[in-house]
Amino acid sequence: LKSNPSNNEEKEAQTQLTKSDELQRLHSQALSAYQQEDYGAAISLLDEILAVCVWDAELRELRAECYIKEGEPSKAISDLKAAAKLKNDNTEAFYKISKIYYQLGDHELSLSEVRECLKLDQDHKQCFSLYKQVKKLNKQIESAEEFIREGRYEDAISKYESVMKTEPEVPVYSTRAKERICHCLSKNQQATEAIKLCSEVLQLEPTNVNALKDRAEAYLLEDMYEE
């Protein structure tokens, strides 16, 4: 304004200043809501700020944290992906994205994101440790699926039992492993065991189509037509 005073520009500058003050106020409120663990309120405030400050990586990371706490992982992923692009060498964002995919049971996407982290910093401790875990699990699942394609059901069962030992903490992997073991037992004519295991899976996921189909096949082997 000092260099080029004019009414229009003064108006524009005043408007921007007011907006800037307003955004700073919203920012303080968002941080305070986050610290008080009121994540829903923090998200609403951050939505308002990010509508204006679209390119702010740190605000996106903060909103991603709130989404994680609110149990909305896919929204967190989209904010973290933006943050990974907006900030150079953002290993932290890649690590978090990989971790979320892993918790959701998407081991393949988890592996590709953690590799991005290691491309930026091959000595990143958290990423390296996650990479080793996901790579091992990924390999076991791929090899079990290969056995199933070859009709080597006993080998596949033993490989899926290893999957459950490799990752006992994240329930989705145990459920998937049991679903696939049930499939192998059913294909292997071991009807009683198949029915038992598929029923376990269906208690956790009543609409699991694969488990329903495999249990139906096992019931057929036992001549239990009504079931």
Side-chain angles (χ1 to χ4, degrees):
L1 275 178
K2 278 179 186 163
S3 70
N4 189 4
S6 81
N7 283 347
N8 277 355
E9 280 175 6
E10 187 164 352
K11 241 188 209 149
E12 171 70 5
Q14 286 301 341
T15 312
Q16 295 286 34
L17 265 175
T18 311
K19 192 186 270 184
S20 159
D21 286 344
E22 171 67 1
L23 288 172
Q24 280 181 318
R25 191 176 60 76
L26 291 173
H27 188 209
S28 313
Q29 286 178 341
L31 286 175
S32 153
Y34 176 76
Q35 279 150 6
Q36 287 162 20
E37 298 181 13
D38 185 352
Y39 302 114
I43 290 168
S44 301
L45 292 159
L46 289 164
D47 287 348
E48 276 190 71
I49 307 169
L50 279 158
V52 183
C53 309
V54 188
W55 314 113
D56 192 314
E58 270 152 32
L59 290 177
R60 285 189 180 275
E61 284 172 2
L62 182 60
R63 189 168 65 177
E65 280 301 310
C66 296
Y67 281 138
I68 291 168
K69 303 281 191 194
E70 287 285 279
E72 297 200 64
S74 54
K75 288 183 177 176
I77 285 173
S78 117
D79 264 344
L80 287 165
K81 283 191 168 177
K85 288 196 181 89
L86 291 168
K87 201 155 87 182
N88 281 345
D89 299 345
N90 196 343
T91 51
E92 198 53 35
F94 285 117
Y95 171 70
K96 283 180 182 167
I97 297 168
S98 173
K99 192 95 178 142
I100 295 171
Y101 277 135
Y102 185 72
Q103 297 290 333
L104 291 173
D106 201 329
H107 49 94
E108 285 164 339
L109 279 175
S110 173
L111 192 58
S112 85
E113 293 295 334
V114 80
R115 279 184 174 136
E116 291 301 317
C117 171
L118 290 170
K119 274 185 205 166
L120 294 171
D121 176 7
Q122 59 193 33
D123 299 322
H124 194 290
K125 276 197 179 125
Q126 286 174 304
C127 284
F128 187 65
S129 147
L130 181 62
Y131 170 71
K132 281 199 303 189
Q133 174 71 1
V134 188
K135 193 179 175 201
K136 181 179 179 186
L137 193 77
N138 200 46
K139 202 169 174 202
Q140 287 174 333
I141 292 171
E142 278 178 356
S143 133
E145 287 301 314
E146 186 60 36
F147 286 144
I148 290 174
R149 284 191 290 276
E150 292 167 3
R152 294 166 60 186
Y153 298 116
E154 291 295 337
D155 291 333
I157 289 170
S158 120
K159 197 52 88 173
Y160 267 119
E161 282 166 350
S162 305
V163 166
M164 292 195 275
K165 288 194 186 93
T166 298
E167 185 42 87
E169 303 296 320
V170 183
V172 64
Y173 294 109
S174 301
T175 310
R176 281 301 148 271
K178 285 178 182 174
E179 177 200 302
R180 297 306 277 154
I181 291 172
C182 164
H183 174 74
C184 296
L185 291 167
S186 173
K187 289 283 187 200
N188 223 16
Q189 315 273 301
Q190 292 166 265
T192 316
E193 295 93 320
I195 292 166
K196 180 173 173 289
L197 206 55
C198 270
S199 301
E200 271 184 44
V201 173
L202 287 161
Q203 270 187 318
L204 298 166
E205 297 178 355
T207 55
N208 185 316
V209 176
N210 293 329
L212 285 166
K213 286 195 295 189
D214 289 322
R215 188 168 68 174
E217 291 292 337
Y219 280 141
L220 284 175
L221 292 170
E222 293 287 282
D223 301 335
M224 295 165 74
Y225 301 120
E226 287 294 329
E227 285 85 343

